[in-house]
């Protein structure tokens, strides 16, 4: 079987993820592996996509190999997917899977993004391998990689793949009405970050209505005008210095023009089940802030043109971004259902959140995501010095093993309920003891 590995890492042969594919090549010599470093050479593929087409046509199985960056695949692979779909190549009945390495921070949304786009192309998608960055260094990790590839080979041999979803209904793009703008805006600063093209009338109309009905002063930053030198290289230069290796001034632009705002609203048209490659580059380049939630406490909102109700993975990404970042998600207004009312409600909620400094406690998306980062930064604190200082200063190292008193209490409670005689003797007193501190709060004048 001819296996084509599409390496989406900008690090080319230095990619950790790539080495899992190289390991499989070594362990399965009966198959011919070919490697295309699409991430590193994305600029070349933008000029001439034919080498990719030729390699894909010759392959029996395609493996997308990449590190997880900011909830999805890196910008470079994002851009390659756009080029692949625009090429018009017939990929129906072509088998495809994926291999990623990460610390399992939203690897599910990254995998789903690749799956959705491959199934758009009517490819025969096989669920991929999500490995930890260190898995290949362990005996169990190598075993899992081997078993994964054996499963993939079995799927190809027996024509087994994930069921193709029904084509989603094309977005109606309901028209957006105009609204009179109040000249008496409240002081404040709401920044609208967008990649809106001049000819994208629908998204422009959504932005204009939002700015008109919003009671607070706002401004627009169009990132498509920013002179990016490239996508994130994953070089970790910023981990110690706080400065990006690129000399395009993006990190200063981000800190001085975006992070100073009272609230951030993102506006884009859905492209290939995501926000599009320009926004992905913007997101990846924010790594110059490391894994620090530097905008926590700032409310956020979204103006989205497209069939957002059908994009469940994108919905998870947007909620996850806000939750991990410690941002109150004031709402997502799309043009699929009553856009005028949705935009107006977003403006009202954002005004309330800014005025009252409203912050909601994190849910599972935020808590679990931050715990992954907490453990990662602690382990890598010698390298990621700026992140380490931030986590210490904000009390984010909330390791549960430090709560020795709580742990001891749990041992005592465990011993009590393990004995049928003691449990029967205690009766409801155990539960009464558990809720006693809460009753104390209710009976006091605590806020």
């Amino acid at each position: 079987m001819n296996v084509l590995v599409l390496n989406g890492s900008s690090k080319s042969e230095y990619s950790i993820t790539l080495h899992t594919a190289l390991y499989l090549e070594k362990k399965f010599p009966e198959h011919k592996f070919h490697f295309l470093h699409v991430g590193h050479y994305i600029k070349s593929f933008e000029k001439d996509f034919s080498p990719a087409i030729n390699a894909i046509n010759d392959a029996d199985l395609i493996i997308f190999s990449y590190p997880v960056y900011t909830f999805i695949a890196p910008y470079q692979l994002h851009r390659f997917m756009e080029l692949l779909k625009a090429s018009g190549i017939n990929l129906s009945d072509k088998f495809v899977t994926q291999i990623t390495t990460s610390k399992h921070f939203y690897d599910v949304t990254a995998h789903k993004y690749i799956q959705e786009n491959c199934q758009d192309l009517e490819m025969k998608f096989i669920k991929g391998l999500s490995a930890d960055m260190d898995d290949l260094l362990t005996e169990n990790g190598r075993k899992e990689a081997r078993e994964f590839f054996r499963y993939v080979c079995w799927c190809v041999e027996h024509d087994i793949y994930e069921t193709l979803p029904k084509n989603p209904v094309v977005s109606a793009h309901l028209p957006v009405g105009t609204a009179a703008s109040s000249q008496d805006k409240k002081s404040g600063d709401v920044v609208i970050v967008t990649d809106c093209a001049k000819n994208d009338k629908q998204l422009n109309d959504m932005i204009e209505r939002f700015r008109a009905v919003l009671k607070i002063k706002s401004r627009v930053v169009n990132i498509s005008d920013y002179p990016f030198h490239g996508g994130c290289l994953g070089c970790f230069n910023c981990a110690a210095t706080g400065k990006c290796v690129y000399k395009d001034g993006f990190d200063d632009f981000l800190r001085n023009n975006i992070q100073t705002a009272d609230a951030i609203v993102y506006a884009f048209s859905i492209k290939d089940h995501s926000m599009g490659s320009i926004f992905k580059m913007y997101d990846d380049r924010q790594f110059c802030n490391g894994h620090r939630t530097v905008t926590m406490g700032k409310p956020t909102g979204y103006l989205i043109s497209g069939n957002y109700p059908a994009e469940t993975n994108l919905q998870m990404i947007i909620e996850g971004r806000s939750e991990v970042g410690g941002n109150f998600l004031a709402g997502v207004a799309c043009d699929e259902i009553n856009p005028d009312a949705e935009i107006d409600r977003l403006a009202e909620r954002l005004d309330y959140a800014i005025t009252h400094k409203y912050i909601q406690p994190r849910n599972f998306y935020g808590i679990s995501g931050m715990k992954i980062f907490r453990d990662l930064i602690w382990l890598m604190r010698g390298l990621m010095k700026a992140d380490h200082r931030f986590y210490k200063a904000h009390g984010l190292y909330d390791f549960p093993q430090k709560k020795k008193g709580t742990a001891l209490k749990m041992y005592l409670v465990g011993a009590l309920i393990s004995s049928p005689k003691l449990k029967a003797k205690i009766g409801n007193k155990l539960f009464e003891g558990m809720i006693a501190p809460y009753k104390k709060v209710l009976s006091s004048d605590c806020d």
Side-chain angles (χ1 to χ4, degrees):
M1 181 168 62
N2 287 327
V3 181
L4 174 63
V5 178
L6 297 174
N7 177 18
S9 172
S10 61
K11 297 179 182 177
S12 190
E13 68 270 19
Y14 297 106
S15 165
I16 292 175
T17 318
L18 176 67
H19 281 73
T20 298
L22 292 170
Y23 173 75
L24 295 176
E25 180 187 31
K26 180 180 179 181
K27 289 297 178 180
F28 296 90
E30 65 272 26
H31 301 291
K32 293 182 179 179
F33 280 70
H34 305 275
F35 298 86
L36 209 59
H37 300 295
V38 299
H40 187 71
Y41 297 106
I42 188 61
K43 296 294 184 183
S44 297
F45 287 109
E46 286 179 335
K47 296 176 182 177
D48 182 9
F49 199 69
S50 60
I53 292 176
N54 294 334
I56 290 170
N57 281 331
D58 292 339
D60 300 306
L61 169 68
I62 296 168
I63 300 177
F64 284 93
S65 169
Y66 61 96
V68 177
Y69 279 13
T70 326
F71 295 86
I72 327 180
Y75 151 74
Q76 292 87 345
L77 188 55
H78 220 86
R79 180 67 181 127
F80 181 83
M81 185 65 77
E82 288 181 348
L83 297 172
L84 178 63
K85 296 179 80 170
S87 70
I89 183 175
N90 182 8
L91 294 175
S92 60
D93 298 331
K94 186 80 72 174
F95 281 95
V96 63
T97 189
Q98 58 186 321
I99 297 173
T100 62
T101 53
S102 67
K103 300 307 290 186
H104 301 295
F105 177 82
Y106 286 91
D107 52 354
V108 291
T109 48
H111 276 238
K112 191 66 175 179
Y113 162 76
I114 293 293
Q115 178 178 348
E116 288 176 334
N117 281 283
C118 288
Q119 290 182 320
D120 284 349
L121 295 165
E122 299 184 343
M123 302 178 78
K124 294 182 176 180
F125 182 84
I126 303 168
K127 285 188 176 180
L129 172 67
S130 177
D132 190 279
M133 292 171 65
D134 301 326
D135 277 357
L136 196 60
L137 305 179
T138 68
E139 182 179 346
N140 185 62
R142 293 189 291 272
K143 178 185 176 183
E144 288 178 343
R146 295 193 302 271
E147 290 180 348
F148 159 72
F149 193 71
R150 289 193 185 101
Y151 169 72
V152 170
C153 291
W154 176 83
C155 286
V156 173
E157 181 181 354
H158 293 87
D159 200 30
I160 304 293
Y161 53 93
E162 297 300 311
T163 303
L164 284 170
K166 294 181 180 179
N167 291 327
V169 177
V170 178
S171 176
H173 289 299
L174 297 177
V176 179
T178 58
S181 179
S182 171
Q183 299 298 317
D184 188 23
K185 297 283 187 181
K186 292 194 290 186
S187 63
D189 180 26
V190 175
V191 61
I192 302 166
V193 181
T194 184
D195 64 343
C196 185
K198 292 180 180 179
N199 61 354
D200 189 343
K201 183 179 184 303
Q202 187 72 5
L203 185 57
N204 271 303
D205 287 348
M206 294 178 73
I207 294 172
E208 288 305 309
R209 181 179 182 90
F210 173 76
R211 296 190 70 191
V213 298
L214 183 66
K215 300 173 184 176
I216 300 172
K217 293 179 180 179
S218 64
R219 56 191 170 89
V220 176
V221 173
N222 196 317
I223 56 175
S224 63
D225 296 331
Y226 193 83
F228 289 104
H229 286 183
C232 179
L233 300 175
C235 65
F236 280 91
N237 182 76
C238 61
T241 66
K243 286 288 185 179
C244 182
V245 69
Y246 286 117
K247 303 301 180 183
D248 56 10
F250 177 74
D251 44 359
D252 290 330
F253 161 80
L254 190 66
R255 294 179 182 118
N256 299 328
N257 291 278
I258 308 299
Q259 294 169 1
T260 57
D262 298 313
I264 304 172
V265 174
Y266 301 97
F268 60 84
S269 296
I270 297 174
K271 306 177 186 73
D272 302 322
H273 305 287
S274 78
M275 69 290 290
S277 61
I278 295 176
F279 247 110
K280 193 63 182 65
M281 183 189 293
Y282 171 84
D283 270 356
D284 289 354
R285 286 291 302 277
Q286 291 192 71
F287 194 76
C288 63
N289 286 318
H291 300 91
R292 303 186 294 280
T293 51
V294 293
T295 62
M296 61 182 175
K298 296 180 186 293
T300 61
Y302 286 81
L303 298 166
I304 299 178
S305 177
N307 194 2
Y308 183 70
E311 300 286 352
T312 55
N313 191 52
L314 183 58
Q315 293 170 26
M316 183 176 179
I317 291 170
I318 285 176
E319 184 175 359
R321 281 168 53 106
S322 300
E323 286 293 327
V324 172
N327 309 114
F328 167 60
L329 181 58
V332 180
C334 71
D335 57 0
E336 183 72 14
I337 303 172
N338 199 353
D340 291 359
E342 290 298 312
I343 292 170
D344 295 356
R345 280 194 281 265
L346 169 59
E348 289 289 343
R349 285 193 293 265
L350 202 64
D351 176 50
Y352 180 91
I354 294 172
T355 303
H356 297 275
K357 300 186 184 304
Y358 180 61
I359 302 174
Q360 283 186 327
R362 289 184 171 105
N363 64 16
F364 172 78
Y365 288 166
I367 295 294
S368 58
M370 282 306 297
K371 286 185 184 297
I372 288 176
F373 273 150
R374 177 200 66 189
D375 295 348
L376 175 65
I377 300 305
W378 177 257
L379 184 65
M380 301 179 68
R381 60 191 183 276
L383 168 64
M384 308 186 78
K385 297 177 181 178
D387 290 340
H388 177 53
R389 289 192 295 270
F390 184 91
Y391 274 55
K392 284 183 65 178
H394 289 82
L396 297 177
Y397 286 135
D398 58 339
F399 299 107
Q401 60 266 32
K402 287 185 177 181
K403 300 178 180 178
K404 296 179 181 178
T406 301
L408 179 59
K409 289 179 183 177
M410 292 302 103
Y411 274 112
L412 293 174
V413 172
L416 288 173
I417 65 174
S418 297
S419 171
K421 291 183 178 180
L422 286 174
K423 188 177 180 181
K425 188 175 181 179
I426 293 171
N428 288 331
K429 291 182 181 178
L430 175 63
F431 300 113
E432 290 175 3
M434 291 175 67
I435 65 171
Y438 303 94
K439 284 188 173 181
K440 186 177 180 180
V441 172
L442 295 179
S443 62
S444 69
D445 294 327
C446 295
D447 290 336

